[in-house]
Structures are given as C-alpha cells and as structure tokens.
C-alpha cells in the first residue's frame, strides 16, 4: 500500500488524486458490442450459444427459467440462521425504502391553475445479480425490494449459473424479496436479452444491478433502449482518519473492499503518518489469513493508497476530489464535518459504522455510484423505479392571463402551430 504525503504542493496534487485503474481494453469493448448485437438480432439462439461458451452448460427454453420447485429447494437447503438474517435485512431495507416514497403533490397558483406531479412505477424491471467470483444474495435484496416498494409489478432476475448451478442463498433471497421470475443467464448476453427481449426473456424497461466489465459495458450500450441505474466500476472505499480509533479496524475495512476484486480501490486519508503506518502493518498482517488474499493483495498493491494530510479539512478536500463509493469518517466528531462532504455514495459516521453494515443490513441500498460518479449520482432507491409525470390543469383565468405570452414565445421560435393551438381557444372564449 503506497504512502503519499500531500503536504507540499497540496492543491496541485489534489487535481490528480484519484488512482488510475487503467483504460478499457478496446478488444473487450468490441467483444461486448458483438455479443449484444448478436442477441438483439438472433434472440434465444445467440443467448444459448454464449451461455454454452461462457457458463459451460446447455441452456434451452425448458431450463432457462428457474422453477418454483427449484426455488423452494434452495430455501430448504440454506440454514435457518441465514434465512432469518436475510429476512431481517429484507425488513430493514423495506422499512427504509418506504420512508423515501414520494407522495403526489398538486398546488394551485395565483391564477387558479393546478400544477403538480403524479407518481407512477416502471412496468417491468430486470435485475442483474453477479455470480462469478462471488455470488451476492445481498444484491438481490438491495435491488428487488426498492423496486417492489415503488410498485413495480414485473421483476426479472438474471444471474449466471456456471456449469448450470445456481447459488441457493441467491434463490432464497429472491424468494424472501418476493421475486419468482429468475433466469439462469449472465454476462453481456443477459443484459442484451433483458434490454431487447427474446422468445424466452421478456423485454424490460429498466436494468439495474452490478456486474463485471462485460456487464457494465453492455449496460452502457443498451442505455436508451432501456434505462439503467449506473455503469458500475470497481468497488471503492475511502477512510478518513484523524489518528483515533484502532488501526486493526481500519485495516479490516480496507480489506473488506479489496477482497471484492483485483481492481478494487482501498484508500486511507490520514492526518498522522505514524497511525497510517500502523494501519498498513495491520493490513499486511490480516491479509495472510484471508481466504481471498490473492485478490485482496492485488487490489492493495494496484490501487491501495495512504494519503497523509495536515488537517481534517485537507482530508475532506481529498475525499471530495475522489468522490468515493463508500466514505468512512473514522474521526472523533464525524457529524460535525458531514455538511462539508459534497460527494460520496454512502457516508459511514464514526468508528462503529463499518461499511459492511451498509453492504448487508443497515437499510439503504448498497448499489452505489463508483468511479467518481458520486459527483452527480445517488444510491439506488425507490426513486429509480418510479416516474413523476407533471400534471397541468389550466384555469380560464390562467388561460386569459398567460395565453399572450405563449403565443409570442411560440412565434419567437417559429412554431406557428403552437401559437395557433392557443389562438383557436381564444376564439371560443371570445364568442
């Protein structure tokens, strides 16, 4: 983990603070484009072909969709303890998302016009749940439940099944969430199937959920045909420390992100170089005992950084420049600086608020903006699954008062029919 002191030439160094994770290989872009287009044109036949190639089993119209019997079997296979934990998480997510639901609003202006908005759920949503290096039942809960709370009636889960096998906890999580439409498909081919539809997979209106680079690029390609939540990159954490707390806690939180994949970005911003060195020592110590130590070690080596700054204010400037997916404020008074945090996907306040709580059970979705997208994006929530169309009712008084403005503005844009649509109504009122 590289130590970088920012005390000299701070402002200049701040401009290039985000670790570079390299560009996207054009060969991958070309591969994904071909897969997406093949599935768009050829539907099931292309979808089945890529599943045989990448997941090593024969997919067909009879086994593509998970049966109710398979889902029940999966629920029975998992332990009662895990099943109960999933239910606790589901309840907390549901309660939090319900608290966010917007209510329709109408107000009457001074001219008697009624203006406001309605709230309508998206009809059909596709959810991608990873199943490669690790399976994520938590992602099922964090994506499906906000959609259900928003009122989405049709939800389809796509998850890869290497060698035809699916993770029992993933299926159990889907059942606990309330989703029974599950397809054993993954990768760019699954995204294309959800976006364009095939004989076996109905077309969705929106696709959400994280995935690898192939999935992320496929979502980028199909955007416009369908909506997407975001283009997810490698997982990130930035831990802001004032030298208080326990180095082993901070080290463990850095490794919690590093173990996701080799491209993960674990960052420490600290006001004490000695404390930072203790954290790095703990990282090396804990790394030896991790089951996924090879993955975590590569992420630490490639993107791990410990930035040393003079003050908490400078640390906050670093954090805002990075705009991290996860931000931990491991300082004495985290609430006192919260207003200064401009960009972050999720903020964890204080030494006890380990980021893992956000991953599993706190309540807010763990689907967050990455790669600096927290500068303009928010976490996944019920808002991603609703539309809020404007509602406009013009009164006669409002018509009389505003029609002249509409006509003049329409003519200023050379849109004569727009003006005419108002003028013909003026004749009715004048007769």
């Amino acid at each position: 983990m590289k130590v970088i002191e920012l005390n000299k030439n701070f402002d200049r160094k701040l401009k290039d603070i985000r670790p570079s994770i390299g560009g996207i290989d054009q060969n991958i872009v070309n591969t994904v484009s071909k897969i997406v287009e093949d599935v768009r044109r050829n539907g099931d036949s292309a979808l089945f072909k890529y599943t045989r190639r990448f997941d090593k089993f024969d997919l067909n119209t009879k086994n593509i969709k998970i049966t109710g019997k398979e889902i029940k079997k999966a629920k029975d296979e998992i332990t009662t303890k895990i099943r109960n934990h999933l239910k606790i998480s589901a309840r907390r997510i549901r309660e939090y998302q319900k608290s966010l639901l917007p209510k329709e609003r109408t107000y009457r202006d001074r001219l008697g016009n009624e203006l406001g908005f309605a709230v309508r759920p998206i009809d059909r949503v596709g959810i991608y749940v990873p199943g490669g290096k690790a399976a994520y039942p938590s992602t099922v809960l964090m994506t499906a439940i906000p959609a259900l709370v928003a009122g989405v009636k049709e939800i389809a889960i796509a998850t890869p099944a290497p060698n035809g096998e699916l993770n029992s906890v993933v299926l159990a999580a889907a059942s606990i969430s309330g989703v029974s439409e599950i397809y054993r498909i993954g990768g760019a081919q699954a995204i294309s199937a959800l976006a364009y539809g095939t004989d076996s997979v109905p077309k969705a209106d929106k696709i959400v959920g994280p995935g690898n680079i192939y999935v992320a690029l496929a979502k980028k390609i199909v955007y416009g045909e369908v909506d997407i939540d975001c283009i997810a990159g490698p997982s990130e954490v930035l831990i802001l420390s004032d030298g208080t707390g326990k180095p082993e806690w901070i080290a463990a939180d850095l490794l919690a992100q590093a173990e996701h994949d080799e491209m993960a970005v674990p960052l420490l911003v600290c006001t004490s170089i000695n404390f930072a060195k203790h954290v790095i020592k703990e990282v090396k110590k804990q790394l030896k005992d991790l089951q996924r130590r090879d993955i975590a070690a590569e992420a630490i080596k490639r993107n791990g950084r410990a930035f040393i700054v003079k003050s908490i204010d400078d640390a906050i400037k670093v954090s805002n420049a990075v705009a991290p997916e996860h931000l931990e404020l491991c300082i004495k008074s985290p609430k006192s600086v919260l207003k200064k945090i401009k960009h972050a996907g999720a903020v964890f306040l204080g030494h006890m608020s380990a980021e893992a709580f956000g991953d599993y059970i706190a309540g807010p979705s763990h689907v967050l903006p990455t790669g600096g997208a927290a500068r303009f994006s928010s976490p996944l929530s019920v808002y991603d699954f609703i539309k809020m169309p404007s509602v406009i009712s013009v009164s006669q008084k409002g018509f009389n008062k505003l029609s002249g403005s509409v006509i003049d503005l329409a003519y200023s844009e050379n849109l004569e029919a727009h003006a005419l649509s108002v003028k013909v109504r003026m004749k009715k009122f004048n007769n």
Side-chain angles (χ1 to χ4, degrees):
M1 193 167 185
K2 187 182 296 184
V3 176
I4 302 174
E5 295 193 48
L6 298 178
N7 296 332
K8 294 182 180 179
N9 301 316
F10 178 81
D11 292 334
R12 180 177 60 80
K13 292 177 180 178
L14 194 63
K15 295 179 181 179
D16 301 314
I17 202 72
R18 170 169 280 278
S20 173
I21 58 174
I24 298 173
D25 188 336
Q26 188 59 41
N27 291 327
I28 296 178
V29 175
N30 295 338
T31 297
V32 172
S33 297
K34 289 177 182 177
I35 293 172
V36 169
E37 181 62 14
D38 194 3
V39 175
R40 185 187 75 82
R41 288 179 176 272
N42 300 304
D44 277 352
S45 63
L47 182 60
F48 299 165
K49 175 181 68 177
Y50 291 117
T51 300
R52 284 193 298 272
R53 181 183 303 175
F54 299 125
D55 289 334
K56 311 301 181 186
F57 78 99
D58 287 324
L59 190 69
N60 55 57
T61 56
K62 293 181 179 180
N63 66 8
I64 185 172
K65 190 174 179 181
I66 308 301
T67 66
K69 185 177 180 181
E70 288 176 295
I71 295 173
K72 183 180 183 306
K73 180 175 180 289
K75 282 186 71 175
D76 293 339
E77 286 177 350
I78 68 172
T79 65
T80 301
K81 180 185 287 188
I82 291 298
R83 187 160 52 245
N84 288 339
H85 290 327
L86 290 173
K87 289 179 179 178
I88 292 170
S89 179
R91 185 185 72 244
R92 293 182 61 84
I93 295 166
R94 190 173 290 109
E95 289 173 353
Y96 174 77
Q97 295 296 335
K98 282 183 177 179
S99 75
L100 299 182
L101 268 175
K103 295 182 179 179
E104 296 187 357
R105 182 189 172 200
T106 301
Y107 88 100
R108 190 184 297 272
D109 68 14
R110 290 176 296 176
L111 300 175
N113 302 309
E114 291 185 6
L115 310 169
F117 60 85
V119 178
R120 301 289 184 268
I122 292 173
D123 286 341
R124 182 174 175 82
V125 168
I127 295 175
Y128 189 88
V129 179
K133 290 182 178 178
Y136 295 100
S138 57
T139 294
V140 177
L141 304 179
M142 296 288 183
T143 51
I145 293 174
L148 289 164
V149 170
V152 177
K153 299 299 182 185
E154 297 181 24
I155 300 174
I157 290 175
T159 187
N163 300 310
E165 298 296 323
L166 284 172
N167 183 283
S168 294
V169 189
V170 166
L171 296 185
S175 178
I176 289 168
S177 297
V179 178
S180 58
E181 187 180 343
I182 309 169
Y183 299 91
R184 44 167 58 91
I185 53 176
Q189 61 272 22
I191 299 300
S192 186
L194 291 171
Y196 300 110
T198 72
D199 289 340
S200 299
V201 183
K203 172 182 168 59
D205 299 306
K206 182 164 186 168
I207 301 172
V208 304
N212 62 18
I213 185 63
Y214 294 89
V215 170
L217 288 174
K219 287 170 71 176
K220 185 176 183 179
I221 291 169
V222 303
Y223 176 65
E225 180 67 30
V226 293
D227 190 19
I228 62 172
D229 52 348
C230 63
I231 301 170
S235 189
E236 309 163 342
V237 67
L238 186 149
I239 301 177
L240 196 155
S241 170
D242 58 1
T244 62
K246 297 182 179 297
E248 57 265 37
W249 293 7
I250 292 176
D253 290 356
L254 290 168
L255 289 171
Q257 291 307 302
E259 73 175 350
H260 273 290
D261 65 65
E262 295 88 348
M263 299 298 291
V265 181
L267 305 177
L268 171 65
V269 184
C270 189
T271 57
S272 167
I273 190 168
N274 288 330
F275 186 84
K277 287 179 178 179
H278 282 303
V279 171
I280 294 171
K281 185 178 179 180
E282 274 294 325
V283 167
K284 294 177 180 178
K285 179 181 175 182
Q286 294 180 26
L287 192 57
K288 296 176 183 178
D289 297 324
L290 285 183
Q291 184 177 355
R292 294 165 65 86
R293 58 183 171 272
D294 291 342
I295 293 172
E298 181 61 25
I300 292 290
K301 178 181 177 182
R302 183 178 296 184
N303 293 317
R305 303 286 188 276
F307 296 107
I308 311 303
V309 295
K310 288 182 179 179
S311 65
I312 291 298
D313 281 343
D314 281 352
I316 292 171
K317 290 178 182 178
V318 172
S319 177
N320 285 331
V322 173
E325 178 187 15
H326 307 98
L327 170 62
E328 291 189 10
L329 297 180
C330 293
I331 59 178
K332 289 181 181 178
S333 303
K335 289 184 179 180
S336 68
V337 303
L338 183 57
K339 288 185 178 180
K340 297 180 181 180
I341 302 300
K342 297 192 297 182
H343 313 304
V347 184
F348 298 81
L349 303 180
H351 297 294
M352 302 307 296
S353 302
E355 185 276 326
F357 279 89
D359 278 346
Y360 295 110
I361 210 163
S365 179
H366 72 200
V367 179
L368 304 168
T370 63
R375 291 176 293 111
F376 50 80
S377 298
S378 302
L380 187 79
S381 73
V382 290
Y383 295 110
D384 286 274
F385 302 104
I386 59 174
K387 302 159 293 177
M388 300 171 68
S390 301
V391 178
I392 301 167
S393 177
V394 179
S395 68
Q396 184 168 339
K397 182 179 179 181
F399 182 92
N400 293 339
K401 183 70 174 177
L402 301 175
S403 56
S405 296
V406 175
I407 292 169
D408 289 345
L409 289 170
Y411 279 129
S412 77
E413 295 183 351
N414 294 317
L415 297 175
E416 183 180 8
H418 280 64
L420 183 61
S421 72
V422 175
K423 293 172 76 172
V424 294
R425 288 171 169 79
M426 293 176 69
K427 292 180 180 179
K428 177 180 178 181
F429 285 132
N430 291 333
N431 287 338

